Amino acid sequence: MPPTTAATDGPDTVEDRLRAAGWRMTVQRRVIAEAFDQRRRDGRDVHLTAEQVLAAARATLPDVSLATVYNTLNDLVELGALAEVSPDDGPRRYDANVADDHQHLVCVDCSRVVDVHLPTRPTLGPDARHGFDVAGVEVTFRGRCPDCRAA
């Protein structure tokens, strides 16, 4: 198993996060990281499924396997270089935006996921925690995206 480290205060790209964590940069890891990094450079929100990562990786490396993609994605989540997002009953998605505190907006028709930056982070007061030690907050807004509304 690769070494683990938090990615939230460090390098900006998934590939940089892998290098900073001391991972050996295989060609498979590079093309998987590039699936996220290119979309981020294009200014797009990045919430890819494993199948979308596989298709992007195969454009450069046709023999990369779905098992390699899943194993690498799981390792990247454990490392903190990606966040796993499960916004609906569909496939898991992987979010390269691990540095910004944000929530998600999900289209109920096409499952598109968009980052939402709230002015304040939702919190629970002591009485609402029911004795829980709250470790994280996930808020998901659901609706129909402009493309689905227009269809």
Side-chain angles (χ1 to χ4, degrees):
M1 185 64 55
T4 59
T5 184
T8 57
D9 294 327
D12 187 46
T13 69
V14 175
E15 185 173 341
D16 289 343
R17 294 171 197 164
L18 289 169
R19 291 183 191 284
W23 282 27
R24 188 170 58 89
M25 189 53 64
T26 65
V27 67
Q28 293 88 351
R29 287 176 180 163
R30 182 174 290 114
V31 298
I32 290 167
E34 184 61 24
F36 293 92
D37 294 339
Q38 182 59 50
R39 284 166 179 80
R40 290 184 74 212
R41 282 192 293 275
D42 292 345
R44 295 184 275 171
D45 283 334
V46 183
H47 304 89
L48 301 176
T49 65
E51 289 74 17
Q52 290 171 318
V53 173
L54 178 65
R58 281 189 173 164
T60 303
L61 186 66
D63 62 341
V64 68
S65 72
L66 184 58
T68 296
V69 168
Y70 271 114
N71 290 336
T72 302
L73 291 172
N74 290 335
D75 288 343
L76 288 167
V77 169
E78 185 176 324
L79 171 70
L82 294 176
E84 185 177 311
V85 180
S86 300
D88 54 24
D89 292 335
R92 290 180 290 182
R93 293 179 177 270
Y94 298 88
D95 188 353
N97 182 2
V98 295
D100 295 335
D101 188 16
H102 68 282
Q103 306 308 319
H104 294 103
L105 177 61
V106 179
C107 179
V108 296
D109 290 341
C110 70
S111 298
R112 177 180 172 201
V113 180
V114 178
D115 288 348
V116 176
H117 294 87
L118 301 176
T120 60
R121 184 177 189 182
T123 60
L124 291 175
D127 292 340
R129 291 184 197 152
H130 301 279
F132 281 64
D133 179 18
V134 177
V137 176
E138 294 179 26
V139 175
T140 302
F141 298 91
R142 299 183 190 287
R144 293 182 74 216
C145 71
D147 292 340
C148 290
R149 280 196 331 266

